[in-house]
Each structure stands twice: as C-alpha cells, then as structure tokens.
Amino acid sequence: RSSWLLLAPLLTPPVPVITAPPCSLCPEGAHRFQWIRNLVPEFGISSSHVKVLSSPAEFYELLKVQIKAAKQRVVMASLYLGTGLLEQELVYCLEETLEKSLQAKGSPDLRVSILLDYTRGSRGRKNSRTMLIPLLQRFPGQVRVSLFHTPNLRGLLRLLIPERFNETIGLQHIKVYLFDDNVILSGANLSDLYFTNRQDRYVLLRDSPEIADFFTELVDAIGDVSLQLQQDDTVQMMEGMVHPYQGDKVAYCEIANRRVMEVINSARTRQELLHAKTFHSSQPGSSLLSQQDSQASGSLKPEPDTWIYPLIQMKPFGIQIDEMVTETLLTEAERDARIYLTTGYFNLTQAYMDLILGTRAEYRILLASPEVNGFFGAKGVAGAIPAAYVYIEHQFYSEVCYLQQQERVQLQEYSRAGWTFHAKGLWLYLAGSDLPCLTLIGSPNFGYRSVHRDLEAQVAIVTENKALQQQLHQEQEQLYLCSGVVSTSTFEQPNRYVKLWVKLVTPLIKNFF
C-alpha cells in the first residue's frame, strides 16, 4: 500500500491541451486525409496487399508460417513474450529458421530482432528473458533482444515499487511483427491468451518493403536506447549510450527523440522523393521507353489505391504524432459521419472525451464488459480494476445523458463467454457512406497511459478500394455483433456495484491503468 504514496508527485493530471490540426482536410474522397503526410511518411500500396485477420488462432498460425518462411529478417516488438507451450513453439520456430539459415552456404543472412518491455519481460522467475536466452546463446551473431526501460522509473521510485506495480509508470507497448517484407500490425501480445481466446485486431501488409523497412528502423531505434539482453541473463546498454534510469534523464530522452525522429523524417523524405519520381514518370512528356522497360522487367507496380500512415506516440520522448492525428480526425469528422471506436480499457483522455462530446459525428464506442476485462478475477488490487473501469464508464455515460447526446454517442459492451477483449482502434465512415474509408489499428487504447506514459504505434489505413473497405466493415461488424447497448439499467445490475473505496481511489490512480 505504501508504494502508492511514491506515486504522489505523478498523480496530478495535466490540463488537457487539444493540439491544433496540422492542416484542414482536403475535400475529395479518401485523399481528404493526405494532410497526415505532413507529419509522417505516406506509403501508397495496392489494396490486394492488405489482409484483415479476425481470430487469435489465425494470428498465431500466421506468425508461425511467417517465421518459418523468413529469409532475411524477423522483427518482433511486443510488451512481452509469454512462457507457455504456444509461446515455446514460436521460439522453436525461430530456432528452426535460424538453424536453416546457419546451414545455408556462406554467412547466414537471417537476422532476428526482438523488442520487449524490461519490467513486464522480467516478471517472475520464468519470463520472456529466460524464454529467449537459448536463442542468444546458440545464435549470438544473428539474434538481438532489446528490453526497453522507461526513463520515468528511476531512483527511489524504482527501488521501492514492487514487481507488477512498477509497470504502471511506463511501458514499451508497440506490437509489430515483421517477416522479410510482410508486416503484421496488431494490439496483441506474444502470449497464449492472445493466440486462443483474447479478441484483438490484426492486419497483414504483404510484400510491402518500404513499410517493413520503416518499422525495422523504428524497432532498431528503440532497441538502441534499450537494455541489451546478454547470454547470462544480465543486461547492458550499447557502448556510449546514456542509461535510461542511471544516466541523465533529459539527455537520454533527447537522444531517444533524435533517433526516432530520424527514422520518421528520413522515411518521409524517401517517400516524398518516390512520389515526385512516380509523378514525373507518369506525365505525358516522360520517357515512354523507361516505362516499357519497367513493364518488360515486371517491376511496374499497380497504381496505389490504399495509403498507410505510421502514427507514433512516445510522450516520454516528446513525440505526440498519434495524439495529433487522432485529435484532428475527431475534430474534423463532419455531421452524419460515423466513428466506431473500440478500446479494451475504457479510460479516454479528457481531450478525447471533450472532442467526442463536443463535435458533430455519430459515435459507437465499444468497450469490455467487466466479465471480459483482462483483469477480471485477478488477485489483490488488480482485481478491483474492472470495477474502476465500470465507474469511469458510468461517469462518461452520465455526462452523455446530461448533454442529451444518447442518440449521437452510444456505448456498447463486448460480451462473449470464455473470452476476454483487447481490441482497439477506430473505423471512420464518411457521411452517406455504408463502408469505412479509414481505420486506425495498432497498440494505443486512447487512454491516459497510451498518450502520456507508454511507447505506442499504430497505422492509419486509408483506402478507396471497395473490397478492402468491405473487409474493414466486416471486421467492425463482427466485433460489434458480440455487444449490447449500454443504458441506465446497465449500471443497476448487481455485478455493476462499485465499492466506495474504488470510487474514491479511481480518480487518483486512473492515469496508471
């Protein structure tokens, strides 16, 4: 209990600041979102390269298939790697693929880079580190395991806050799984629950070398400022790098900011040059011969009808791109547009709540019922977290009712026997459209932690292609079909009773979960 007192200096929430939009939306079609490329690289691809997955089992099988097929690189960023049989099978797949690479003629080409969170990955005697050490010992030249440690957990705070509670200060929360030129973006971690009965979202971007390069460089950048796992289960920083909790905090954050922004800005520059080259080659006066050469070599790509924008949020390093883009999307959504927003943990920032309650679009917000919350039935203080989410939900619903916005802003609770719910993201339907033209998918939960404490990444997928829009629509429908609409009577049910101490503590600790 006393460990919570150490958090006192961090408990006061900042005054919410709504960031000004980077620019106004463009008027026509899906291209109204091209302002996002003022902040991040824009990757134009064919919709045929995008596949939306729907189930944990499909996600797990795809991971194994992709690991086994990898020839050049496997890059995996997650909160942690679990310690069960399914996770062990993934490690065996990596070992098998590395072994094949080692036996190939010449020097092995395959490189494996894994980025996890230090505190979550070090929890317990058997943990993510002990799962991966055999790979480091057997393939030292091919495997890198980086463990990110938040710079905000240091000094007395680090010494006194116990295991599990130390994870509330800040985490590496990005979930990217990358195999050669194929990229899986998700909110799912590498754990057996996420492979069996924990509902999340997953999208595969096939044959997308530029996107794969970007996320490889991003994971490398975070890896460079992280602790490196050694073969004897010790950790050390790269030579010459400032230590995240022993070194100067400001200097560390400046270096981390510089490394990540270099990745974003260099990719932006590369993509802008590519756009310019493509534009000039498509002009009437361009060389017909060069176009014929491209066609003959089979290198001519189909015209992009889908655009991928990586959105990064790393407030500890002063990077707030995802927050800016999300706030702009909520601000600019016109009357009669529909936004389907889903989060595994309903704890929206004040800025997001103000925008939802004060703007014109219709909202359908999907959240976990208490029984499918990941903390349901947990021991100790964690067991009260579902009740805290009920309290936060009730407060928000009361505000909706007070403003008489029940028709425009609707809450729905996901409920499915034997399952938990972890899906997050949004789908944007323009006014008059039955299909979404934009989705956000990745690790952020739209809550205080995602915006202020953790390292997060997602992508905005914008598409003009009806078939891909239909895929996204079906994904949304499938999730919302397992839900019921929240009403006043919802909070009168016996299982929604919230104890007085939970109500009193929730405002103090809501910024930590």
Side-chain angles (χ1 to χ4, degrees):
R1 286 190 296 272
S2 61
S3 61
W4 286 109
L5 298 176
L6 295 166
L7 307 182
L10 302 170
L11 289 175
T12 308
V15 177
V17 177
I18 296 177
T19 317
C23 75
S24 60
L25 303 189
C26 305
E28 76 290 346
H31 283 291
R32 65 173 50 217
F33 304 106
Q34 67 186 5
W35 54 267
I36 304 175
R37 73 180 184 201
N38 295 334
L39 299 169
V40 295
E42 175 187 74
F43 301 99
I45 63 172
S46 166
S47 56
S48 61
H49 291 196
V50 184
K51 184 182 181 187
V52 179
L53 312 181
S54 61
S55 74
E58 191 180 4
F59 169 58
Y60 180 61
E61 291 305 318
L62 181 63
L63 285 176
K64 290 194 293 182
V65 167
Q66 290 291 320
I67 289 171
K68 289 176 180 177
K71 297 289 188 290
Q72 277 81 43
R73 59 184 169 189
V74 172
V75 178
M76 299 200 289
S78 186
L79 175 60
Y80 68 105
L81 171 70
T83 58
L85 293 175
L86 295 179
E87 298 92 316
Q88 189 62 62
E89 194 174 339
L90 280 186
V91 176
Y92 288 150
C93 287
L94 284 168
E95 187 177 11
E96 185 184 316
T97 306
L98 283 161
E99 184 63 47
K100 272 196 295 186
S101 171
L102 204 58
Q103 290 172 357
K105 290 179 182 178
S107 60
D109 292 327
L110 182 67
R111 294 291 180 268
V112 174
S113 177
I114 298 173
L115 172 67
L116 305 173
D117 182 74
Y118 176 89
T119 51
R120 183 64 183 85
S122 303
R123 188 201 286 182
R125 276 191 173 181
K126 189 179 181 183
N127 54 40
S128 306
R129 292 161 65 163
T130 58
M131 292 286 287
L132 294 169
I133 282 170
L135 293 182
L136 280 172
Q137 291 172 338
R138 190 166 174 196
F139 309 98
Q142 293 175 263
V143 178
R144 179 192 194 191
V145 178
S146 306
L147 301 167
F148 174 79
H149 190 295
T150 178
N152 293 326
L153 182 63
R154 54 177 48 231
L156 201 59
L157 197 66
R158 187 177 189 276
L159 288 172
L160 297 180
I161 292 189
E163 199 174 75
R164 292 178 72 99
F165 286 94
N166 58 9
E167 297 166 29
T168 63
I169 305 303
L171 296 166
Q172 191 308 108
H173 200 244
I174 295 168
K175 293 89 190 273
V176 175
Y177 309 109
L178 188 158
F179 314 91
D180 292 341
D181 292 337
N182 300 328
V183 183
I184 302 172
L185 272 301
S186 181
N189 292 303
L190 294 172
S191 172
D192 53 4
L193 290 173
Y194 295 89
F195 304 150
T196 51
N197 62 346
R198 188 154 171 73
Q199 182 64 57
D200 215 298
R201 297 180 66 208
Y202 337 82
V203 65
L204 168 65
L205 307 176
R206 281 188 296 246
D207 301 322
S208 303
E210 293 93 352
I211 300 172
D213 288 347
F214 173 84
F215 280 107
T216 299
E217 290 169 18
L218 180 68
V219 171
D220 280 347
I222 303 165
D224 288 349
V225 299
S226 299
L227 295 154
Q228 306 301 304
L229 184 63
Q230 306 300 304
Q231 295 177 25
D232 60 356
D233 199 18
T234 60
V235 292
Q236 62 185 46
M237 290 300 290
M238 286 174 59
E239 193 175 341
M241 186 60 67
V242 177
H243 199 282
Y245 62 85
Q246 293 174 352
D248 182 78
K249 181 180 175 181
V250 173
Y252 172 81
C253 291
E254 284 176 355
I255 290 169
N257 173 287
R258 194 158 58 243
R259 286 287 288 111
V260 173
M261 290 309 298
E262 277 171 5
V263 172
I264 294 169
N265 291 329
S266 63
R268 244 187 95 209
T269 302
R270 285 198 304 268
Q271 291 307 113
E272 284 171 0
L273 289 170
L274 189 64
H275 294 156
K277 188 178 175 184
T278 306
F279 175 77
H280 288 306
S281 68
S282 66
Q283 295 305 294
S286 64
S287 169
L288 191 61
L289 188 62
S290 65
Q291 291 184 42
Q292 288 169 344
D293 288 344
S294 294
Q295 286 172 326
S297 65
S299 64
L300 197 64
K301 293 181 179 179
E303 277 292 304
D305 58 8
T306 300
W307 296 268
I308 310 294
Y309 301 94
L311 308 179
I312 312 302
Q313 183 75 12
M314 300 179 181
K315 190 70 171 285
F317 305 155
I319 298 169
Q320 298 169 251
I321 296 169
D322 181 64
E323 180 185 5
M324 288 176 66
V325 171
T326 302
E327 286 183 0
T328 304
L329 289 172
L330 300 184
T331 301
E332 298 290 341
E334 73 257 33
R335 189 181 303 280
D336 296 328
R338 284 175 294 138
I339 292 179
Y340 288 78
L341 185 150
T342 178
T343 173
Y345 305 110
F346 184 74
N347 188 12
L348 301 177
T349 65
Q350 191 62 50
Y352 291 163
M353 283 195 289
D354 290 346
L355 285 169
I356 289 169
L357 293 173
T359 50
R360 300 157 294 180
E362 292 180 17
Y363 286 86
R364 300 293 178 263
I365 302 174
L366 182 63
L367 50 124
S369 65
E371 296 77 19
V372 299
N373 186 295
F375 290 97
F376 187 74
K379 295 176 181 177
V381 176
I385 289 177
Y389 282 118
V390 168
Y391 183 57
I392 293 166
E393 177 190 353
H394 194 182
Q395 284 184 310
F396 181 76
Y397 180 76
S398 298
E399 185 73 9
V400 171
C401 293
Y402 175 75
L403 296 170
Q404 298 184 325
Q405 298 288 311
Q406 301 97 307
E407 292 298 313
R408 191 179 64 82
V409 180
Q410 195 174 91
L411 296 181
Q412 295 178 229
E413 287 186 352
Y414 186 93
S415 184
R416 189 176 179 186
W419 284 64
T420 55
F421 184 69
H422 197 248
K424 67 272 299 228
L426 69 75
W427 300 258
L428 174 59
Y429 294 68
L430 297 176
S433 176
D434 293 328
L435 298 173
C437 64
L438 176 146
T439 191
L440 300 183
I441 180 169
S443 65
N445 274 299
F446 305 104
Y448 186 93
R449 285 193 61 105
S450 291
V451 172
H452 294 278
R453 297 194 182 281
D454 298 341
L455 306 191
E456 305 279 11
Q458 63 180 342
V459 292
I461 302 176
V462 177
T463 185
E464 293 177 336
N465 180 270
K466 294 297 180 190
L468 179 52
Q469 289 179 356
Q470 188 66 46
Q471 271 196 76
L472 295 171
H473 177 66
Q474 286 172 352
E475 178 199 31
Q476 177 271 116
E477 279 198 321
Q478 188 177 337
L479 290 172
Y480 279 70
L481 273 173
C482 296
S483 72
V485 176
V486 172
S487 65
T488 305
S489 61
T490 303
F491 302 101
E492 295 169 356
Q493 297 170 21
N495 64 344
R496 300 310 169 98
Y497 174 73
V498 180
K499 294 177 180 177
L500 179 60
W501 74 267
V502 175
K503 292 181 181 179
L504 294 173
V505 169
T506 297
L508 298 175
I509 64 169
K510 65 184 290 188
N511 296 343
F512 292 90
F513 60 84

